[in-house]
Amino acid sequence: RRDLATPSHALSCSICCEPGSSRPASRVDGAISARRMGTMKEWVSDQLMSLLGYSENFLTDYVTNLASSEKSAAALLAKLHAADVPNTPATRKFAEDLFARAPRKSGGAAAQQKARAAADKKEKLDLLKQNAEYGLLDDDDDEAAETEAAVQRALKERQRAQRKRSRAAGDEAAAAAERVCTILDRYQEQPGVLDPALELLVVPLLSVVRTLAHAGGAAVSASLRPPCRVMYTLCKVRGYKTVVKFVPHEARDLEPLVGLLGTLAPEDGDTWQISYSLMVWLSMVVMVPFDLSIIDSSAASAASASSSSS
């Protein structure tokens, strides 16, 4: 071989791959496997950065091990969605590609390794030394549990930060409403000066109230306080008879407004400005003639049910 000017790396590769030399061949296989695993981790890290906007080493290891342990791409997608990864077409494509790339855990290889260890204990010790030398990943249950716990802690920290930002936004809206009310109070001696700007003030405020009324939910009253605070101040300074001319008067708003008014507790002293603003709006809406079937959602549901049964 040396006479034929065979390169040294080709010579060593041919020797390692000879049928009678099992340990050098397994060493080469282990090196190739480690290199492939590192390349896949880099790909997973790039994909997580694209999907979530961030990527950590423990998160990359967790997702890679999860792909190796799951039996299908659908099961992998369900686990990712349970870990608060958004369920989007990009996430589904990522789950399918990751499941196709991830190495599968094979029981046949483990059985073969166990049989070889029973036949030759020295060979087993050599293999264990090679695993330690090349730093192969240990997929035991303890490490998976620790990684999953770290991911859960990171997700909880992210949710806590989001709640903190939401509270800060609510405090900022309340402070802005107080500043507007302070400015409006200065016009109590000459409220007619506000007439050219009344429509520009009332319509955006009630647009926010309409959106919240149609959305519903348990925490709506906290979001309603800033716009209804400004609405009450406008009525106090200019008079509700003047302000009510600029409120929307559509029949479809009747049911959401009445439902929202019913959710406010009468004994709650912090919601009286919300109740006042809603009743000022309703005083205009109820004057519009309309068919009850237009605004009664239960009647519409019963009609659709009867038509489908027939």
Side-chain angles (χ1 to χ4, degrees):
R1 290 179 180 174
R2 295 185 184 274
D3 295 338
L4 296 176
T6 304
S8 59
H9 68 277
L11 180 61
S12 61
C13 182
S14 62
I15 294 175
C16 292
C17 297
E18 289 179 356
S21 180
S22 60
R23 282 183 291 178
S26 63
R27 180 175 297 180
V28 173
D29 293 340
I32 294 175
S33 177
R35 181 176 300 177
R36 288 178 179 174
M37 183 65 70
T39 303
M40 191 176 74
K41 284 186 177 180
E42 294 176 359
W43 177 81
V44 171
S45 178
D46 294 341
Q47 295 297 319
L48 291 176
M49 181 65 69
S50 175
L51 292 173
L52 302 178
Y54 68 93
S55 177
E56 298 292 342
N57 289 335
F58 70 88
L59 185 59
T60 303
D61 293 343
Y62 171 71
V63 173
T64 304
N65 295 338
L66 192 63
S68 299
S69 61
E70 292 301 325
K71 297 181 179 180
S72 64
L76 175 60
L77 179 62
K79 284 293 184 67
L80 293 176
H81 182 58
D84 286 349
V85 179
N87 191 1
T88 61
T91 305
R92 290 192 290 272
K93 181 67 166 56
F94 168 64
E96 293 173 358
D97 294 344
L98 178 58
F99 182 80
R101 291 168 177 248
R104 305 266 70 81
K105 294 181 178 180
S106 174
Q112 183 179 2
Q113 183 178 357
K114 185 177 180 180
R116 188 188 306 117
D120 189 358
K121 294 183 179 180
K122 188 176 182 302
E123 182 71 13
K124 178 180 179 180
L125 293 175
D126 292 338
L127 290 175
L128 292 175
K129 290 179 181 179
Q130 290 179 13
N131 290 343
E133 180 181 357
Y134 290 107
L136 298 179
L137 289 177
D138 184 12
D139 295 331
D140 57 358
D141 295 337
D142 294 338
E143 183 179 356
E146 292 177 1
T147 305
E148 186 172 0
V151 172
Q152 294 299 330
R153 287 196 298 270
L155 293 175
K156 288 181 180 179
E157 288 294 333
R158 184 181 179 186
Q159 293 173 357
R160 190 179 297 112
Q162 290 177 349
R163 289 194 296 268
K164 186 176 181 180
R165 286 195 297 268
S166 299
R167 288 194 297 268
D171 296 340
E172 184 178 355
E178 288 298 326
R179 290 195 298 269
V180 173
C181 293
T182 302
I183 296 173
L184 291 176
D185 285 336
R186 299 174 184 173
Y187 291 88
Q188 291 191 34
E189 295 184 359
Q190 295 181 340
V193 179
L194 294 173
D195 288 353
L198 277 180
E199 185 176 3
L200 297 177
L201 292 171
V202 173
V203 173
L205 289 174
L206 296 186
S207 296
V208 175
V209 176
R210 171 186 284 170
T211 302
L212 294 173
H214 283 270
V220 170
S221 59
S223 302
L224 283 174
R225 286 193 182 97
C228 290
R229 172 86 172 90
V230 178
M231 182 68 179
Y232 165 74
T233 305
L234 280 173
C235 294
K236 179 185 72 173
V237 174
R238 189 62 187 95
Y240 81 92
K241 291 184 179 180
T242 303
V243 175
V244 78
K245 299 176 183 178
F246 302 99
V247 303
H249 48 278
E250 298 181 16
R252 65 186 181 91
D253 295 327
L254 178 61
E255 187 179 9
L257 291 177
V258 173
L260 183 59
L261 189 62
T263 61
L264 302 177
E267 64 274 8
D268 189 356
D270 296 334
T271 60
W272 66 271
Q273 292 178 342
I274 300 176
S275 302
Y276 178 87
S277 302
L278 293 178
M279 294 186 72
V280 169
W281 191 355
L282 284 170
S283 66
M284 177 60 69
V285 175
V286 296
M287 297 177 64
V288 180
F290 54 84
D291 188 356
L292 287 178
S293 61
I294 298 176
I295 55 94
D296 192 356
S297 59
S298 60
S301 301
S304 61
S306 62
S307 61
S308 61
S309 63
S310 61

